[in-house]
Amino acid sequence: MEQLNLGDSKGITRRRRSDQALHLLFLACTSVGIIVLMALLVTIIMDGVHRLSPDLFTNYPSRSADRAGMKSPIVGTIYLLLLMTPISFILGVGAAIFLEEYAGRGRWIRLIQLNISTLAGVPSIIYGILGLAIFVRGMGLGRSLLSGVLTMTLLVLPIIIVASQEAIRAVPKNRRDASFALGATKWQTVSRSVLPSAMPGIMTGVILALSRAIGETAPLIMIGALTYVAFLPENLMDSFSVMPIQIFNWISRPSQAFHELAASGIILLLIMLFIMNITAVWIRNKYSKNL
Amino acid sequence: MFRKRGRKPAGILVLVLLLSTILAACGGGSNGGSTAGSGTEENNANNGSQQSEETKVEALSGTIEIDGSSTVHPLTEAIAEEFGAVHPDVRVPIGTGGTGAGFKRFAAGEIAISNASRPIKDSEAEDLKANGVEYLEVLVAYDGLSVVVNKDNDFVDKLSVDELKKIYEPDSTVKTWADVREGWPAEEIKIYSPGTDHGTFDYFTEAINGEAQVSRNDSQITFSADTNAVVQGVAGDKFSVGYFGYSFYEENQDNLKLVPIDNGTATVAPSTETIKDNSYSPLSRPLYIYVSKKELERPEVKTFVTFYLENAGQLAGETGFVSLQDDEYTAELAKLEQ
C-alpha cells in the first residue's frame, strides 16, 4: 500500500515537473518573437524619433534630409486606402456570401475554394507582376493611382474572402433556419440575419487585410509607383508614391541622415498600422458584446 | 451570446451598407474624374505647346516623367526639386527602376527622360530605333567607382586593374588575399558587389572584366541590391573588399579605407579632382540623361533639360558626384539647339 502511494506521488511530481518545463518552453517561444520585435521597435524609435516633426507631413521629398518630408507618400497611402476599402469590401464580402450561402459544395466550388486559399498565400510580388501585365500594360491604365489600387485590391481580396467566409460560417445554422421558417427569401435571410451577425468578424478581417496592404512595397515597385513625387495625385490617373516606397528609397541612400528619416517614416507607418489594428479590435469587442 | 442578437445588428448593417455605398460612390466619383483627368492632362500638354507658340513667357505646365538609374536619381531629384521652385506647375515624377529598366520604359515611350549610369548599349539603342524613339544623350556629371577595404586592413596599399580582375573575374581562383598578391595574409577574402541590376555593376564589370554583366559568382561573393549593404559588409569584415559609387564612400569615410587603383600608368585614388580630369581611369564613369527628341519639343521638357545642365555643376557636388568642366556643360547645352 505504502509503496503504491509513494509511486503515485512520484508520478505526480514528475508530471508536475514536465508540466512546468513545458510552461517555460512555451514562454520562451513567446518571448523570442516579442523580444526581437521589441529590439526592432526600440532601435527604430531611437533612430527616428528625433526626426519626427510636422515637416514630415508638410514637406515633399527633398535631396536634403533637413527639408525632406513625406507629404506626397502619406497622401498617396491614404488615397490608396480610401479607394481600396470599398472595392475590396464589396468584391470580397460578395464573393464570401456567394461561396457560403449560394454555392453548394460541388467539385467546382471546392476547386475555387482551394484556389482562393492558395491565392491568400501567394507572394505579393506576383501580384505586382500581374498588375503590371493586366492593369498597367493590358488595360493601358499606366503607372497610375488606379493601377495601384486595383493591384492592391487583388492582393487583399483572397484574405478578405477567407476571413469573411469564416465569419459567415460562424453564424449558427438555426438562425438561418429560423429565418427561412418565417418565410424569408435567401437574400432576406443573408442580409437581415446572417450578415449582421457576421459583420464584426468581416470588418476585422477587412481591416487586417488593409493594414497588410499599406505596408506592401514590392507590388507597387513592380507597377512603378515612383520615388520622387513632389505633387499630390489629383485624379486616378496621376502618378503616386506611398510610404513604404519612400522609406525604401531613403534607406538606400548613402547618408546617415536619410536613414534616420527612414526610421521616422517607419514610426509613422507603425502608428498607422497600430491605429488600424486597434480599430479592428474595438469593432470586434463592441459589436460582439451587443450581439 | 447569440440569443441576444436582435435589433442592433440591423442598425450595424444599415450603417455598414451606407458606409460602403458612400465609399463606393466616392470611388465611382473619382472614377468618373479619372477619365476627365486624363483628358485634362492631355489638354495641359496641348496647352503647353500652344503657349510656346503664342508666348514663351507664360508659366510652363505639364508632366515630365523620368525613370532609370538609382545612381543618377539623387542628382535628377535635386534638379527637379530646384526646378519645381521656379516652375511649380510642371510635375516631374522620378522613378528608380534601374538603368536597364529605364531604357525599356524609354523605348515604350512611357517616359520623357531616362537616367543612366552608363552609356546606352547597342541592343538598347536598336530597341529604341525599332520603336521609333529618337534620343539625345546628355552627359550630366561624373562618378568615380570607389574600391574599398575594411579600415583595419593594413596590408592593401593599392590594387592594380589586373589584381581587381583576378578577384572579380568569372571562375576566379582567388580564395585568400595571398592569392591576390604574394606576401598578403592567407585569410579568406570576402567579396562584395552591388547587385546585377545596378548600372554600377554593369560599369565595373565592363571596365575590369572586359565585358558587362560578367562576374564571378560563387560562395565568396555577395551581391546586394542595396548599396548600403555593401558598405555594411565591408565595414564589418576585416578581410573584405567591395566597390560602389563615390558618394557612398564620402558618407562612410570613417568606416572604410579607400584603395588607390594602379591602372598601369599611374596609381590614383578617386577624388573630385582625379575623377574630373579623368586621371582616375578606368573606374571614373560618366552619368547621363537620355532625352526623347520628340518630348524635347515640349517647352517644359526643353526648359527642364536646359535647367539641368545649368545647375548640374553646383548640385553634382552637393549630391556626391563630380561636376563636368564648364565648357563641357556648354557643349552639352549646344546639343539641345541642334
Side-chain angles (χ1 to χ4, degrees):
Chain A
M1 219 27 199
E2 231 172 59
Q3 263 185 338
L4 192 70
N5 267 343
L6 203 64
D8 255 358
S9 75
K10 250 189 192 166
I12 286 170
T13 327
R14 199 169 55 229
R15 275 160 52 208
R16 286 228 174 104
R17 216 170 275 152
S18 74
D19 191 45
Q20 266 172 353
L22 282 174
H23 179 129
L24 285 178
L25 182 72
F26 295 138
L27 182 70
C29 291
T30 318
S31 6
V32 168
I34 302 282
I35 289 170
V36 171
L37 193 66
M38 284 324 268
L40 191 74
L41 283 181
V42 168
T43 45
I44 290 290
I45 289 171
M46 274 166 51
D47 281 354
V49 80
H50 66 281
R51 287 262 174 201
L52 280 177
S53 70
D55 287 356
L56 218 49
F57 296 92
T58 55
N59 287 12
Y60 287 113
S62 163
R63 68 173 183 284
S64 138
D66 293 330
R67 263 179 294 150
M70 49 191 333
K71 182 179 179 184
S72 44
I74 290 174
V75 172
T77 293
I78 291 173
Y79 280 1
L80 193 74
L81 206 57
L82 286 180
L83 290 165
M84 263 174 71
T85 311
I87 304 177
S88 55
F89 183 87
I90 291 169
L91 289 180
V93 177
I97 292 174
F98 172 77
L99 287 171
E100 282 303 309
E101 300 291 335
Y102 289 88
R105 281 275 162 265
R107 184 180 301 170
W108 286 109
I109 299 301
R110 268 183 292 153
L111 191 68
I112 290 175
Q113 190 74 59
L114 181 72
N115 267 313
I116 291 175
S117 312
T118 315
L119 280 177
V122 166
S124 56
I125 186 107
I126 308 285
Y127 286 98
I129 297 169
L130 192 72
L132 181 68
I134 296 180
F135 302 126
V136 176
R137 299 250 160 86
M139 290 166 64
L141 296 178
R143 287 149 204 267
S144 60
L145 184 56
L146 184 61
S147 299
V149 168
L150 293 176
T151 307
M152 291 311 245
T153 303
L154 280 189
L155 175 78
V156 296
L157 259 186
I159 311 173
I160 294 182
I161 295 176
V162 171
S164 305
Q165 272 187 290
E166 266 158 28
I168 291 172
R169 214 176 297 148
V171 178
K173 191 165 181 300
N174 58 22
R175 286 184 60 92
R176 293 186 186 83
D177 293 342
S179 175
F180 287 133
L182 290 170
T185 61
K186 193 116 193 174
W187 169 238
Q188 282 171 324
T189 307
V190 169
S191 62
R192 294 182 197 168
S193 176
V194 177
L195 271 191
S197 312
M199 205 42 84
I202 293 178
M203 293 299 276
T204 311
V206 170
I207 292 175
L208 292 181
L210 290 177
S211 51
R212 177 185 169 189
I214 67 164
E216 278 292 350
T217 327
L220 290 177
I221 286 184
M222 222 31 234
I223 66 157
L226 301 155
T227 44
Y228 177 77
V229 179
F231 54 83
L232 303 180
E234 280 164 9
N235 61 59
L236 285 177
M237 301 312 284
D238 268 349
S239 315
F240 70 109
S241 181
V242 291
M243 292 165 75
I245 289 187
Q246 189 61 52
I247 292 168
F248 179 67
N249 175 261
W250 280 341
I251 282 199
S252 59
R253 285 178 189 234
S255 112
Q256 185 61 31
F258 275 108
H259 299 174
E260 291 166 6
L261 215 49
S264 64
I266 293 171
I267 297 177
L268 273 191
L269 196 60
L270 281 175
I271 292 175
M272 262 178 102
L273 286 172
F274 190 68
I275 292 174
M276 287 176 76
N277 288 2
I278 289 281
T279 316
V281 172
W282 178 77
I283 287 178
R284 194 170 52 212
N285 288 350
K286 181 165 167 70
Y287 292 110
S288 44
K289 247 182 247 158
N290 288 341
L291 295 177
Chain B
M1 86 183 262
F2 291 115
R3 250 176 254 154
K4 282 194 215 152
R5 286 180 198 164
R7 281 138 272 151
K8 284 215 172 173
I12 304 169
L13 182 70
V14 170
L15 197 108
V16 167
L17 284 180
L18 204 72
L19 196 75
S20 55
T21 339
I22 291 168
L23 287 173
C26 288
S30 10
N31 231 327
S34 82
T35 31
S38 58
T40 340
E41 216 167 279
E42 279 163 31
N43 287 344
N44 279 349
N46 289 341
N47 284 346
S49 52
Q50 276 165 14
Q51 273 167 13
S52 75
E53 282 155 25
E54 289 159 14
T55 45
K56 279 190 177 172
V57 202
E58 278 200 30
L60 293 166
S61 64
T63 303
I64 308 170
E65 280 215 50
I66 305 178
D67 205 339
S69 165
S70 58
T71 307
V72 186
H73 179 260
L75 178 59
T76 305
E77 185 197 58
I79 301 275
E81 195 185 340
E82 294 301 320
F83 187 75
V86 187
H87 302 281
D89 291 335
V90 181
R91 299 166 145 201
V92 189
I94 310 168
T96 51
T99 303
F103 278 126
K104 276 193 199 118
R105 288 194 69 192
F106 195 52
E110 293 175 354
I111 51 175
I113 296 172
S114 187
N115 289 332
S117 59
R118 55 165 170 76
I120 191 166
K121 289 180 193 163
D122 291 345
S123 59
E124 289 164 342
E126 277 163 28
D127 197 26
L128 285 172
K129 204 173 173 189
N131 283 285
V133 178
E134 284 188 66
Y135 61 90
L136 205 60
E137 180 186 86
V138 183
L139 182 64
V140 291
Y142 291 117
D143 186 17
L145 288 185
S146 308
V147 177
V148 294
V149 292
N150 190 277
K151 70 173 191 313
D152 295 330
N153 183 320
D154 47 11
F155 51 90
V156 175
D157 50 348
K158 62 173 185 176
L159 281 166
S160 71
V161 171
D162 284 339
E163 283 166 339
L164 269 180
K165 185 170 185 223
K166 254 201 239 167
I167 298 175
Y168 278 98
E169 74 186 347
D171 307 316
S172 163
T173 52
V174 170
K175 292 253 179 284
T176 67
W177 281 102
D179 298 333
V180 179
R181 193 185 294 174
E182 269 179 55
W184 283 356
E187 296 279 353
E188 193 188 343
I189 180 169
K190 288 267 172 52
I191 305 163
Y192 291 89
S193 165
T196 52
D197 54 347
H198 275 265
T200 312
F201 171 79
D202 288 346
Y203 198 86
F204 183 86
T205 45
E206 169 115 46
I208 298 299
N209 295 339
E211 197 179 334
Q213 294 270 351
V214 163
S215 163
R216 88 183 276 167
N217 191 0
D218 53 33
S219 62
Q220 264 179 289
I221 188 165
T222 309
F223 294 99
S224 305
D226 178 4
T227 309
N228 278 308
V230 180
V231 174
Q232 302 295 335
V234 177
D237 189 329
K238 194 181 168 189
F239 297 102
S240 57
V241 62
Y243 68 90
F244 34 69
Y246 186 64
S247 57
F248 282 87
Y249 166 71
E250 258 194 332
E251 291 287 346
N252 296 284
Q253 296 187 21
D254 301 342
N255 303 319
L256 302 166
K257 180 177 159 188
L258 194 60
V259 182
I261 303 299
D262 178 359
N263 59 15
T265 52
T267 303
V268 188
S271 69
T272 312
E273 291 73 35
T274 57
I275 296 168
K276 198 171 189 170
D277 64 17
N278 214 11
S279 60
Y280 182 62
S281 163
L283 288 178
S284 126
R285 63 168 165 177
L287 302 176
Y288 300 97
I289 57 172
Y290 285 78
V291 190
S292 156
K293 279 191 179 165
K294 194 172 136 232
E295 297 281 342
L296 202 57
E297 284 166 17
R298 283 161 56 197
E300 63 269 25
V301 177
K302 186 158 186 191
T303 315
F304 178 79
V305 179
T306 311
F307 187 89
Y308 202 128
L309 288 169
E310 284 167 355
N311 293 276
Q314 189 216 328
L315 291 174
E318 242 184 83
T319 42
F321 299 112
V322 176
S323 67
L324 312 182
Q325 316 274 12
D326 285 345
D327 55 334
E328 286 179 291
Y329 281 119
T330 319
E332 295 299 319
L333 273 168
K335 276 193 201 168
L336 298 179
E337 301 304 330
Q338 284 166 16

